[in-house]
Amino acid sequence: IWADARGKVENWSVLSDRPEDGLRVVRVRAIVRRLAENEEVPPPAETTVRVVAEGPAAAGLRRGFGERGFSVVEKGGDFIVKGSGSARLLRDARTAPFVSGRGRVSVTVIDAATGGVVWERSGEAGGLDADLLAASARAVESAGEKVGRDAADGLSRILWNR
């Protein structure tokens, strides 16, 4: 079945159904609702991603894609999500005795079939903890989750508009 809905199919009905030259030809009438620019779009069924990153960035990216409905796999995958993260500590007397960190995660989504880059962005988030390393890890994981959700939303829109 080939279809290009570019939105959500609200209702449909079969207009005709007949064999033709060894194939089955079915004409369908569908009511398609166009999605608003900021509307959350679920990924097409059974779309898989494999996250290639380390540490807190990987955990955040996996969670972000999973929250948006993608199946996150360890091997294979329709798309490869490459990520890297870094953190810097922020010294602020207002957060004492806690330490604040700012994490940054960059992500590139690659189509496994073609090797082409489909989506690329980076984002930041903060983290707070009593320990320096824990604050850094929280910040990078939070940034990974945020960028993961953004990447999942962007990839879903791209897939539905193909």
Side-chain angles (χ1 to χ4, degrees), residues 139-159:
V140 171
E141 187 170 350
S142 293
E145 188 172 346
K146 178 183 173 190
V147 172
R149 285 191 305 264
D150 292 347
D153 291 343
L155 181 56
S156 288
R157 287 193 176 281
I158 290 167
L159 293 174

Side-chain angles (χ1 to χ4, degrees), residues 44-96:
E46 300 178 27
T47 304
T48 59
V49 296
R50 177 171 45 105
V51 174
V52 179
E54 294 184 7
L61 288 168
R62 283 186 187 99
R63 190 166 37 259
F65 271 89
E67 285 176 4
R68 291 300 198 249
F70 281 88
S71 294
V72 181
V73 297
E74 294 297 319
K75 293 184 180 185
D78 301 314
F79 295 90
I80 300 163
V81 179
K82 290 187 175 182
S84 62
S86 62
R88 61 186 165 86
L89 296 174
L90 305 174
R91 304 236 184 250
D92 190 340
R94 295 174 296 175
T95 61

Side-chain angles (χ1 to χ4, degrees), residues 106-162:
S106 298
V107 66
T108 303
V109 179
I110 299 167
D111 186 331
T114 66
V117 174
V118 179
W119 200 89
E120 195 168 34
R121 293 263 164 61
S122 59
E124 294 187 352
L128 189 70
D129 202 285
D131 179 70
L132 291 169
L133 291 175
S136 297
R138 281 180 191 263
V140 171
E141 187 170 350
S142 293
E145 188 172 346
K146 178 183 173 190
V147 172
R149 285 191 305 264
D150 292 347
D153 291 343
L155 181 56
S156 288
R157 287 193 176 281
I158 290 167
L159 293 174
W160 282 112
N161 286 317
R162 278 188 170 178

